[in-house]
């Protein structure tokens, strides 16, 4: 596979990003449509799993607000306005960057990122921000957190959480990019790799929360007047 070329990826996996290409063709195995009134929902299992994943993220965010960091590369207090602003601000910047590259690739806003007719699935910019950048960020995160545990902590249990998160993420990518069409064909279009990828990615985030929880301390007393059970 050539760097920047989505052709083979779009052929064997239901990546949403593939729809930005003008000559986009559906994967070889297509999911069944589920009718909802006058509308149709494609890939209902993954849609439901995504909603569940979102609810899990909200729950983890609620739980995380009760924690304060005990060790690590900490530049500001967890849960403070500055840390939340940094997190949200960084997310907005990344979203705008990826959004612009996707729009430019699809509609040729600047005529610099739109694929050539001879290579309709070739996009170096989109490939970098959509696939390479997240992978590099994950590797950096894993390395930094491993250093934190090894250097500052006397226990090694947090590394188990990190390892579980890595396994869940790796298997999710394998099912999404390598086995999605086979899963779809075997289930007669009822389910594909996207469902399992969403499920395992959610499990990976839960494991990351488990890791973070083992290197933080509960700050429940400070929030006794805020949270009622």
């Amino acid at each position: 596979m050539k760097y920047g070329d989505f052709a083979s990826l779009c052929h064997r996996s239901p990546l949403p990003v593939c729809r930005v290409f003008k000559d986009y063709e559906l994967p070889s195995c297509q999911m069944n449509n589920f009718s909802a009134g006058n509308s149709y929902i494609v890939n209902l299992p993954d849609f439901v799993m995504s909603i569940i994943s979102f609810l899990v993220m909200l729950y983890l965010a609620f739980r995380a607000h009760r924690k304060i960091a005990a060790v690590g590369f900490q530049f500001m207090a967890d849960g403070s306005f500055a840390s939340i602003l940094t997190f949200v601000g960084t997310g907005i910047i990344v979203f705008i960057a990826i959004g612009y590259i996707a729009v430019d690739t699809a509609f040729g806003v600047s005529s610099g990122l739109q694929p050539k007719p001879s290579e309709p699935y070739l996009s170096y910019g989109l490939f970098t921000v959509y696939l390479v950048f997240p992978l590099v960020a994950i590797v950096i995160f894993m390395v930094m957190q491993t250093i934190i545990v090894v250097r500052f902590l006397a226990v090694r249990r947090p590394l188990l959480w990190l390892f579980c998160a890595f396994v869940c993420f790796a298997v999710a990518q394998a099912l999404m990019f390598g086995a999605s069409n086979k899963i779809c064909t075997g289930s007669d279009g009822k389910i594909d790799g996207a469902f399992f990828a969403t499920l395992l990615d959610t499990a990976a985030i839960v494991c990351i929360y488990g890791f973070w929880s083992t290197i933080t301390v509960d700050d429940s007393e400070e929030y006794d007047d805020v949270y009622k059970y």
Side-chain angles (χ1 to χ4, degrees):
M1 182 181 70
K2 182 180 179 181
Y3 184 89
D5 192 2
F6 283 88
S8 61
L9 295 178
C10 293
H11 177 71
R12 64 175 184 261
S13 58
L15 291 177
V17 71
C18 294
R19 297 181 180 275
V20 306
F21 298 104
K22 289 184 176 180
D23 297 330
Y24 168 66
E25 296 180 1
L26 293 172
S28 55
C29 178
Q30 300 180 27
M31 293 289 293
N32 297 331
N33 294 332
F34 294 85
S35 60
N38 295 326
S39 302
Y40 291 93
I41 299 177
V42 180
N43 206 339
L44 180 62
D46 186 47
F47 177 76
V48 174
M49 190 64 239
S50 297
I51 294 177
I52 295 175
S53 178
F54 176 73
L55 295 176
V56 171
M57 297 305 106
L58 291 180
Y59 174 72
L60 294 182
F62 170 78
R63 291 290 301 273
H65 191 55
R66 298 173 57 88
K67 296 276 191 174
I68 58 176
V71 297
F73 304 108
Q74 186 178 11
F75 300 100
M76 58 191 72
D78 286 354
S80 65
F81 176 77
S83 66
I84 294 176
L85 184 62
T86 301
F87 176 78
V88 174
T90 302
I92 292 175
I93 292 174
V94 172
F95 176 79
I96 292 176
I98 295 178
Y100 171 77
I101 293 175
V103 170
D104 202 346
T105 300
F107 302 105
V109 177
S110 66
S111 71
L113 296 178
Q114 195 171 34
K116 299 178 181 178
S118 58
E119 296 177 300
Y121 284 92
L122 184 64
S123 175
Y124 297 114
L126 199 58
F127 193 91
T128 300
V129 298
Y130 189 80
L131 295 175
V132 178
F133 170 73
L135 182 60
V136 172
I138 289 172
V139 171
I140 293 175
F141 173 82
M142 290 292 186
V143 171
M144 291 182 65
Q145 299 310 310
T146 301
I147 292 174
I148 288 174
V149 174
V150 173
R151 183 174 180 180
F152 296 102
L153 300 182
V155 295
R156 295 296 178 260
R157 180 183 174 187
L159 292 179
L160 180 60
W161 283 108
L162 271 184
F163 177 75
C164 290
F166 172 78
V167 171
C168 288
F169 175 77
V171 174
Q173 305 317 302
L175 292 176
M176 182 68 168
F177 294 105
S180 185
N181 277 338
K182 293 182 180 179
I183 296 173
C184 178
T185 302
S187 64
D188 294 326
K190 296 181 177 64
I191 197 171
D192 63 4
F195 170 82
F196 294 104
T198 302
L199 173 63
L200 289 171
D201 283 342
T202 303
I205 295 176
V206 172
C207 290
I208 291 297
Y209 174 83
F211 162 78
W212 178 76
S213 183
T214 60
I215 62 172
T216 56
V217 294
D218 195 359
D219 197 31
S220 57
E221 292 182 1
E222 181 181 346
Y223 295 103
D224 280 345
D225 296 331
V226 179
Y227 300 104
K228 303 298 181 182
Y229 300 99

